[in-house]
């Protein structure tokens, strides 16, 4: 009989919807976490009928079942970081906010509110319910469209992204990463993506929040399905490993370029990013 030789990785939890096409949601989250050497647990908030061409149906799960899943995980695992994705309804947003209220570890909130087509995914009530969850976040990671929904102001340039990040920090988040993939290409150059990180941690010179900008090459592809999920999960995994917010964000943003470049060419629509390359040295 061989000797049992287990590993003891950090545990991260994703609270998000399931993607039947496999490119985003819980499926992408767990792959990204595993790529970083982190054990991923999951709480499913909704099931979807989707593929590379789009979303055909969404079935939110009851909030009490979401709470039961969370309780089962929290009762058994030493969870070192939580990441939230698609929460689907106001009741689920409020339930998750209550569940993480006493969570004493990093919380990454990816506010999945706007589809790649620009369509709003949540009711106004669900959008409003995000305010308390954002306030509880270690890091909130909206794209430009979602930052505009959260702040009520247009986000079209890196300057707008910084202003939105500052407003999200003022709402209570420890830090905000406003992703630049949806910014006007004319504002940043067609070959560059600018992601803006604002941290409540003060800048010694200005006395205000600390601002960092990350510039990465823009890959010539529409196959970016799952990029937001993979990025926020990569950051959560790195935080679970004990990295700083600045370090986790910088490393995850840099490696996402390769995840997009080496994306999956599957299905008849645009493909998906490749989370398996995340965490590669």
């Amino acid at each position: 009989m061989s000797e049992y030789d287990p590993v003891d990785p950090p545990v991260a939890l994703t609270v998000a919807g399931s993607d039947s096409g496999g490119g985003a949601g819980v499926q992408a989250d767990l792959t990204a976490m595993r790529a970083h050497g982190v054990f991923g647990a999951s709480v499913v908030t909704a099931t979807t009928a989707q593929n590379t061409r789009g979303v055909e149906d969404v079935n939110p799960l009851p909030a009490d079942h979401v709470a039961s899943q969370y309780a089962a995980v929290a009762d058994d695992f030493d969870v070192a970081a939580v990441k939230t994705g698609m929460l689907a309804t106001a009741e689920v947003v409020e339930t998750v906010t209550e569940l993480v209220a006493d969570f004493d570890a990093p919380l990454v909130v990816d506010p999945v509110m706007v589809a790649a087509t620009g369509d709003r995914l949540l009711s106004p009530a669900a959008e409003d319910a995000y305010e308390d969850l954002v306030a509880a976040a270690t890091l909130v990671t909206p794209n430009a469209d979602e930052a505009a929904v959260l702040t009520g102001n247009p986000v079209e340039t890196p300057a707008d992204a910084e202003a939105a990040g500052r407003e999200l920090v003022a709402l209570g988040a420890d830090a905000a990463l406003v992703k630049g993939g949806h910014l006007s290409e004319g504002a940043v150059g067609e070959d560059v993506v600018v992601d803006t990180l604002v941290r409540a941690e003060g800048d010694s010179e200005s006395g205000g929040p600390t601002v960092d900008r990350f510039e990465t090459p823009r890959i010539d592809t529409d196959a970016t399905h799952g990029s937001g999920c993979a990025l926020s999960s990569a950051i959560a995994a790195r935080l679970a490993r004990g990295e700083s917010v600045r370090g986790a964000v910088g490393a995850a943003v840099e490696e996402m370029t390769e995840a997009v470049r080496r994306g999956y060419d599957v299905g008849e629509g645009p493909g998906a990013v490749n989370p398996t390359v995340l965490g590669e040295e």
Side-chain angles (χ1 to χ4, degrees):
M1 182 178 295
S2 297
E3 181 181 353
Y4 180 52
D5 186 21
V7 295
D8 183 23
V11 176
L13 171 64
T14 171
V15 183
S18 170
D19 175 358
S20 60
V26 165
Q27 287 82 349
D29 295 342
L30 295 176
T31 303
M33 290 173 179
R34 189 176 302 114
H36 285 87
V38 172
F39 184 89
S42 63
V43 169
V44 178
T45 59
T47 59
T48 66
Q50 64 177 297
N51 52 34
T52 61
R53 296 191 299 267
V55 179
E56 299 176 6
D57 188 27
V58 178
N59 181 30
L61 296 181
D64 58 353
H65 182 56
V66 171
S68 294
Q69 293 178 72
Y70 183 93
V73 173
D75 183 57
D76 190 41
F77 296 92
D78 182 13
V79 178
V82 170
K83 169 260 162 122
T84 69
M86 176 185 178
L87 300 182
T89 67
E91 187 177 8
V92 171
V93 176
E94 292 165 355
T95 297
V96 171
T97 303
E98 293 174 3
L99 291 170
V100 300
D102 297 324
F103 181 62
D104 188 24
L107 169 65
V108 178
V109 174
D110 185 16
V112 180
M113 295 178 160
V114 183
T117 59
D119 295 328
R120 303 277 274 264
L121 298 175
L122 301 178
S123 68
E127 292 176 351
D128 291 343
Y130 256 98
E131 186 169 325
D132 289 339
L133 186 58
V134 167
T138 303
L139 176 70
V140 57
T141 64
N143 60 33
D145 295 330
E146 291 156 350
V149 172
L150 289 168
T151 64
N153 297 309
V155 178
E156 299 175 352
T157 68
D160 294 338
E162 179 179 333
R166 289 178 180 274
E167 187 167 344
L168 293 169
V169 166
L171 288 173
D174 293 341
L177 175 66
V178 181
K179 296 173 290 189
H182 292 184
L183 294 180
S184 169
E185 292 185 7
V188 297
E190 63 182 19
D191 296 330
V192 177
V193 175
V194 179
D195 298 309
T196 303
L197 174 65
V198 180
R199 290 176 287 149
E201 176 184 337
D203 184 316
S204 59
E205 293 185 5
S206 69
T210 302
V211 179
D212 294 289
R213 286 198 175 99
F214 305 94
E215 296 189 4
T216 52
R218 187 182 295 276
I219 307 301
D220 185 18
T221 180
D222 293 327
T224 58
H225 183 54
S227 58
C229 303
L231 176 62
S232 56
S233 296
I235 294 170
R238 288 179 172 276
L239 293 176
R241 295 185 339 195
E243 297 183 24
S244 68
V245 169
R246 171 62 175 78
V249 169
V253 166
E254 186 73 23
E255 63 191 8
M256 274 304 300
T257 300
E258 192 69 0
V260 175
R261 189 181 73 81
R262 293 167 57 186
Y264 289 121
D265 182 13
V266 294
E268 296 182 6
V273 300
N274 182 358
T276 66
V277 306
L278 298 174
E280 289 185 353
E281 298 297 336

